[in-house]
Amino acid sequence: MTYLVTGGAGFIGANFVKYLLKKHADIQLIVLDDLTYAGNLGTIKDDLKDSRCVFVKGNITDPTVVQAIFDQYPIDFVVNFAAESHVDRSIENPQVFLETNILGTQNLLETAKRNWTTGKDENGYPTYKKGVKYLQVSTDEVYGSLGETGYFTETTPLDPRSPYSASKTGADLIVKAYGETYKMPINITRCSNNYGPYHFPEKLIPLIIKNILEGKSLPVYGDGTNVRDWLYVEDHCKAIDTVLLTGRIGEVYNVGGHNEKKNIDIVKLTISTMKRLFDEQPAYKKALKKSGDDLSWLSENLIIYVKDRLGHDQRYAIDPEKITDELGWYPETKFEDGIVKTIRWYLENQDWVEEVTSGDYQKYYEAMYGNR
Ligand code: NAD
Ligand code: DAU
C-alpha cells in the first residue's frame, strides 16, 4: 500500500509515520509537509533513512504539488493530518486556518478524486480504483462544548465555537460532501486531546514541562476547571490505522479513551511527576535550566491563573463506543503510564525541544503570555 501522509512532520503525523513503519513491512509512505513553525524535519529524520519513507516539502493547498505526488507514486491512501492546529493562534489569525484546513482539504480531495477515478456508474457517479481511501483526521472540537455531563457521539450536532474548530468543521463537511456527491471512499476520525512525544510546546502539557524546566510560571487559563479528554498519541495512531484498513466507507468514527481531566489537575500532576522523577533519577536534573540541587521552588506556587481563552470550550468528552464495538479498537496506554512516558521523553530529548523552539517561538510566547 502507498500512503500519502500530509502533516507528517508535525506531532501526530510524525507519530503515525513511526507507527506505520513499525507495524507494516510492505508499505510506502510519502510525507507531504510545508514545514510551518509546527513542522520539523528533525522529528522524522530517522524515518527518512528508511527507503519506505520519502519526504516532499509543499503546501496542501497547492494543486501542482499534490498532483506531482500522484504522478510519481501510486497512492492508495491519503491521510490528512496537515492543519493549523492551535486554538489560540486561530483566535489571533483565523485566515490561514481557513486556507489550510478547508481549502487544503478540498485540494487533496479533488486531486485524489481525479487520480482515483476509473469511470462512471449507470447513475453518473464516478467509480474508483480498488482499495483507495481518503481519511480526514478531525477533532472532537467540531462538536462544541459540553456541560458537566454527557458525551460526544458521532451523531452529536456539529457546533464549533473557535476559528480553529470552525475550520475543521468546514473541512469535515467538504469531506462528507465528496463522499455523498461523488461517492468517494472517505472516512473521518474525530479524536480527543492527544499527548505524547514530539508535541509542540505551545500546547498545554509540553508547555508546562518546558516552563518547569526553565523555572517559569505555569499559566492556567481562567479558573483551570476546563476539562479535556486525553489520549496517548500512539493509541490515536492505532485508531487511524484501524479505520483506514477496516472502517466502513463513508463513516465517521470518534476516538477517545474516557480519560477526562481538569486542566488544573493536569498541571498539578505534571509538577508532582517531575518532582518525583528528579528525586528518583537525579541525572534528569541535567534538563533543568535552573541549576542547583535545591528543588523547593518546584511546587504548585509556580501556577498562575491568567486571562481566559476567548470562547474557551468548557468540557470535551468522547464516546468511543462505535470504533470499539465495530472495529475492535481500544486504547492501550493508561494515562498514569502515558504521562510518565511523555515527561521522561521530554527530559531525555531537550535537543528536540530546543530545535523546534529556536525560531519564532520566543516571540509567540511573549505575545501570548508576556514576559513571565
Ligand atoms: P501540528 O500542528 O503538530 O502539526 C501540523 C503539521 O501540518 C505540521 O507539520 C505543519 O508543518 C503541517 N502543515 C501545516 N499547514 C500545512 C500546509 N498548508 N501544507 C502542508 N503541511 C502543513 O498538529 P497535530 O497536533 O499533529 O495535529 C494533526 C492533525 O490532527 C490536525 O489536523 C488536527 O486538527 C488533528 N487533531 C489534533 C489533536 C491534538 O490533540 N493535537 C486531536 C485531534 C485531532
Ligand atoms: O480536542 C482536540 C484538540 O486538542 C485538537 O483538535 C487541537 O488541535 C489541539 O491543539 C487540542 O486543543 P486544546 O485547545 O484543547 O489544547 P491546548 O493544549 O491548547 O489546551 C488544552 C487546555 O489547556 C485548554 O482548555 C486550554 C488550556 N491551556 C492551554 C495552554 C496552552 C491553559 O490553561 N494554559 C495554556 O498555557
Side-chain angles (χ1 to χ4, degrees):
M1 286 293 184
T2 304
Y3 295 62
L4 171 56
V5 180
T6 71
F11 167 44
I12 309 175
N15 276 286
F16 185 67
V17 165
K18 293 173 198 301
Y19 179 86
L20 286 187
L21 290 174
K22 236 190 299 164
K23 177 92 192 286
H24 304 291
D26 190 19
I27 51 167
Q28 174 76 55
L29 306 184
I30 319 303
V31 176
L32 170 64
D33 198 297
D34 209 22
L35 301 179
T36 68
Y37 79 92
N40 176 34
L41 215 42
T43 305
I44 51 169
K45 66 175 186 299
D46 291 339
D47 310 292
L48 293 173
K49 289 180 193 150
D50 189 319
S51 60
R52 295 174 298 159
C53 187
V54 296
F55 179 74
V56 177
K57 181 180 176 334
N59 197 311
I60 60 164
T61 61
D62 184 339
T64 314
V65 167
V66 182
Q67 181 55 48
I69 293 174
F70 275 85
D71 287 342
Q72 204 177 344
Y73 303 99
I75 303 294
D76 299 296
F77 295 143
V78 176
V79 189
N80 183 26
F81 291 94
E84 287 295 333
S85 68
H86 193 33
V87 175
D88 292 324
R89 289 186 192 250
S90 82
I91 293 167
E92 292 308 310
N93 179 19
Q95 190 171 337
V96 66
F97 283 72
L98 307 195
E99 288 162 359
T100 289
N101 299 1
I102 302 178
L103 296 178
T105 296
Q106 192 269 335
N107 181 42
L108 292 170
L109 286 162
E110 185 58 29
T111 311
K113 174 166 93 59
R114 197 171 52 240
N115 287 276
W116 286 343
T117 299
T118 52
K120 274 191 184 159
D121 71 10
E122 63 281 10
N123 297 315
Y125 289 111
T127 52
Y128 294 93
K129 201 178 138 190
K130 215 167 170 299
V132 298
K133 192 183 267 188
Y134 177 99
L135 188 146
Q136 177 71 4
V137 181
S138 186
T139 167
D140 58 1
E141 298 201 12
V142 299
Y143 297 120
S145 180
L146 291 166
E148 278 183 15
T149 57
Y151 295 95
F152 296 135
T153 71
E154 288 79 359
T155 55
T156 300
L158 302 178
D159 182 26
R161 294 155 35 95
S162 73
Y164 163 71
S165 53
S167 70
K168 291 296 290 185
T169 308
D172 282 15
L173 293 177
I174 194 69
V175 173
K176 274 205 94 89
Y178 271 68
E180 296 296 336
T181 306
Y182 309 115
K183 296 279 177 260
M184 194 162 157
I186 59 105
N187 279 127
I188 298 172
T189 55
R190 295 188 179 135
C191 190
S192 60
N193 284 63
N194 286 214
Y195 68 100
Y198 305 107
H199 204 180
F200 193 78
E202 65 187 348
K203 308 285 167 56
L204 180 68
I205 292 179
L207 185 132
I208 294 301
I209 298 172
K210 185 174 190 300
N211 280 18
I212 289 178
L213 291 175
E214 292 173 4
K216 281 190 181 159
S217 331
L218 310 178
V220 172
Y221 297 167
D223 62 4
T225 62
N226 301 69
V227 170
R228 295 294 180 264
D229 186 358
W230 296 93
L231 184 72
Y232 193 62
V233 63
E234 211 170 274
D235 282 320
H236 185 190
C237 295
K238 185 176 79 162
I240 292 170
D241 188 38
T242 305
V243 172
L244 209 47
L245 298 176
T246 63
R248 279 187 297 134
I249 297 293
E251 292 295 309
V252 175
Y253 292 93
N254 281 355
V255 184
H258 280 302
N259 185 50
E260 293 176 50
K261 302 269 180 237
K262 286 192 183 124
N263 293 339
I264 187 65
D265 294 335
I266 289 282
V267 175
K268 288 180 178 171
L269 179 69
T270 306
I271 296 170
S272 61
T273 307
M274 286 182 75
K275 229 173 145 58
R276 179 169 64 72
L277 290 176
F278 287 133
D279 282 346
E280 287 172 7
Q281 239 168 299
Y284 278 146
K285 288 187 189 160
K286 269 197 257 146
L288 284 162
K289 307 289 176 282
K290 208 169 162 171
S291 56
D293 266 345
D294 174 18
L295 291 189
S296 54
W297 56 268
L298 176 42
S299 73
E300 290 178 12
N301 290 336
L302 289 174
I303 296 171
I304 49 165
Y305 291 89
V306 298
K307 196 168 138 310
D308 207 357
R309 175 183 279 175
L310 301 180
H312 196 173
D313 288 343
Q314 182 57 34
R315 173 172 166 258
Y316 304 144
I318 279 278
D319 175 352
E321 201 177 298
K322 179 173 172 183
I323 188 171
T324 302
D325 287 359
E326 260 187 32
L327 310 183
W329 173 87
Y330 59 91
E332 283 174 38
T333 303
K334 285 204 220 101
F335 186 73
E336 307 81 72
D337 301 331
I339 192 74
V340 176
K341 251 167 75 168
T342 302
I343 293 174
R344 280 188 196 279
W345 186 88
Y346 279 91
L347 292 172
E348 291 163 12
N349 289 278
Q350 280 300 296
D351 292 357
W352 180 86
V353 176
E354 270 150 37
E355 198 178 319
V356 301
T357 53
S358 61
D360 276 347
Y361 182 83
Q362 206 48 43
K363 253 197 266 161
Y364 166 79
Y365 191 88
E366 274 161 31
M368 251 324 272
Y369 300 97
N371 212 358
R372 297 190 258 220

